[in-house]
Amino acid sequence: MKRLVILDLDGTLVETYSSHLLPNTAHRLKELAQEGYHLAIATNQAGLSWRVWTGKTHYPTPASLSERFHATVAACPELQNHAWFVSVYDPRVKLVENAFQEVAAALTGALQGTLPVLKAQVSADPLWRKPQPGMLFAACRLYTVPVTAALFVGDMKSDAEAAYTAGMDFMQAEVFFAR
Ligand SMILES: [Mg+2]
């Protein structure tokens, strides 16, 4: 019996880089919460770091990403009750460790400064970036659930790899949400 369902964000809950919910998202999450499952979100958001490194304005800022997360919660209020894990690291971005940590702190600040305050943990830890399993372990720790009692739902190979490395079951978003 699974007790924790961890969900990727882009391409799983919403259309990538938007707050537009994909079909069945709201309904299915409400159902899971009613059935007593813990839910968590685990999302790679290194665009912030790419912006700092390249200066290119098509990447998000902490403010614009926070705005997108809040618009997503407005579209699916259920998501406000659950923990968000956000990774800002990317090995392809050549920033010093401190600069990644500043990006993480800036996003944390933006998220805390906007209502409703999300239960979000942001990290620059390389082990948090999927396909590394750090965010999945952090979610299990938060809810005191063994990895064997958790399921990860995502749309990418890196999601499946993170689950595999963590020793956790994985399900494709299209299957999980019956799309
Ligand atoms: Mg995805």
Side-chain angles (χ1 to χ4, degrees), residues 8-12 16 130 154-156 159:
D8 167 53
L9 179 65
D10 292 308
T12 295
T16 298
K130 297 175 287 183
D155 68 314
M156 306 264 282
D159 295 320

Side-chain angles (χ1 to χ4, degrees), residues 156-175:
M156 306 264 282
K157 190 161 165 271
S158 55
D159 295 320
E161 283 176 18
Y164 179 79
T165 306
M168 187 179 288
D169 282 351
F170 176 78
M171 202 180 280
Q172 278 290 337
E174 299 300 302
V175 176

Side-chain angles (χ1 to χ4, degrees), residues 8-10 17 41-48 65 68-69 85-90 92 126-132 135 156 158-159:
D8 167 53
L9 179 65
D10 292 308
Y17 306 140
I41 292 111
T43 178
N44 285 352
Q45 296 292 341
L48 298 171
L65 186 59
R68 177 159 86 89
F69 284 4
F85 296 88
V86 185
S87 159
V88 300
Y89 178 78
D90 189 326
R92 295 167 298 174
L127 295 178
W128 269 41
R129 180 178 169 82
K130 297 175 287 183
Q132 297 299 320
M135 290 194 284
M156 306 264 282
S158 55
D159 295 320

Side-chain angles (χ1 to χ4, degrees), residues 53-163:
W53 185 43
T54 66
K56 291 189 176 156
T57 55
H58 65 268
Y59 292 115
T61 62
S64 72
L65 186 59
S66 172
E67 202 172 294
R68 177 159 86 89
F69 284 4
H70 282 88
T72 303
V73 167
C76 182
E78 188 54 50
L79 291 172
Q80 201 200 319
N81 304 324
H82 307 291
W84 292 54
F85 296 88
V86 185
S87 159
V88 300
Y89 178 78
D90 189 326
R92 295 167 298 174
V93 173
K94 305 304 174 194
L95 290 175
V96 296
E97 194 187 334
N98 254 3
F100 279 117
Q101 282 162 1
E102 278 167 20
V103 169
L107 179 59
T108 298
L111 288 168
Q112 286 175 349
T114 314
L115 293 174
V117 172
L118 304 184
K119 294 176 193 162
Q121 292 184 41
V122 184
S123 177
D125 184 340
L127 295 178
W128 269 41
R129 180 178 169 82
K130 297 175 287 183
Q132 297 299 320
M135 290 194 284
L136 307 187
F137 288 140
C140 287
R141 267 199 306 275
L142 179 71
Y143 292 111
T144 329
V145 167
V147 288
T148 49
L151 170 70
F152 185 41
V153 179
D155 68 314
M156 306 264 282
K157 190 161 165 271
S158 55
D159 295 320
E161 283 176 18

